Amino acid sequence: MSKKKNKKNKLEKTLVEKILDQHKVKYRQAEFAVTKDKGGVAQMDTSILRDKEQFVYKTLVCEGNKTGPLVGVVPVTEHLSMKKLAKVSGNKKCAMLPLKKLEKTTGYVHGANTPIGIHFTHHFPIYLDNTMKETDEVGVSSGKLGRSVFLNPEDLAKVTEAKFADLLE
């Protein structure tokens, strides 16, 4: 009977978590409260992390003038430098992908974009900020609003074929 209780308390796995399982990557699941602002944009409440909020990363989908869609992953507490992303990706300039094109391009709604899912579905170039290398564990979206996975940054880079770079403003 205790096995049934454990299954009820465990979160149902997302596609991203199943991908990590297939690649034998260790991770842990996390769930956060989500609210929507006036424009309908989802905001994840990471306040429960207190002083560890900088270890949660956001996945920003951009467009390069040469490469097309590409992904920058930076701490939720920081801002992505479009100039630095353009330089490291071989573009002259990059811009955020318009919100109205986001779900059509990635398959994920705003707030649920994940470097893991995007890599496995679209193979867009992915760039991870160098700050990831300063810790043993980082959190990224697991492809569903309010859900994240925490894993080793080197494992994330390997499974997404991502490159580390200085991406912060």
Side-chain angles (χ1 to χ4, degrees):
M1 215 171 181
S2 62
K3 283 187 179 182
K4 284 184 181 179
K5 274 188 178 179
N6 280 343
K7 280 189 176 185
K8 282 186 179 179
N9 292 337
K10 210 165 190 181
L11 298 170
E12 189 176 321
K13 290 191 178 190
T14 64
L15 175 62
V16 166
E17 292 161 346
K18 291 174 184 175
I19 290 168
L20 292 173
D21 287 344
Q22 288 171 354
H23 287 84
K24 297 180 179 16
V25 173
K26 288 183 184 179
Y27 66 92
R28 65 181 174 88
Q29 299 171 312
E31 194 167 31
F32 299 95
V34 176
T35 57
K36 291 197 177 191
D37 67 13
K38 292 176 187 172
V41 175
Q43 302 291 322
M44 188 169 75
D45 180 10
T46 57
S47 62
I48 61 168
L49 296 171
R50 295 189 187 113
D51 61 336
K52 295 184 178 182
E53 192 175 36
Q54 73 272 18
F55 301 126
V56 176
Y57 283 71
K58 56 189 171 185
T59 304
L60 301 172
V61 183
C62 305
E63 266 183 316
N65 67 315
K66 293 181 182 176
T67 61
L70 68 157
V71 176
V73 184
V74 298
V76 294
T77 56
E78 302 294 335
H79 295 284
L80 173 66
S81 167
M82 292 298 165
K83 285 183 180 181
K84 289 179 179 179
L85 181 61
K87 186 176 181 179
V88 75
S89 64
N91 288 287
K92 277 197 173 190
K93 61 182 178 177
C94 287
M96 289 296 295
L97 189 73
L99 197 53
K100 63 184 177 187
K101 291 174 68 177
L102 188 62
E103 188 173 358
K104 184 180 176 188
T105 304
T106 66
Y108 295 97
V109 297
H110 177 78
N113 278 280
T114 167
I116 301 161
I118 291 171
H119 171 73
F120 278 88
T121 345
H122 303 288
H123 302 287
F124 297 154
I126 296 175
Y127 298 90
L128 308 174
D129 186 63
N130 281 335
T131 56
M132 274 191 188
K133 295 192 281 187
E134 297 168 9
T135 185
D136 293 333
E137 185 180 67
V138 295
V140 294
S141 173
S142 68
K144 187 175 176 186
L145 284 177
R147 291 280 299 276
S148 292
V149 288
F150 283 81
L151 69 163
N152 180 281
E154 293 294 338
D155 289 341
L156 177 62
K158 187 176 177 181
V159 80
T160 59
E161 299 178 26
K163 295 178 182 162
F164 286 103
D166 175 17
L167 301 176
L168 302 183
E169 279 189 349

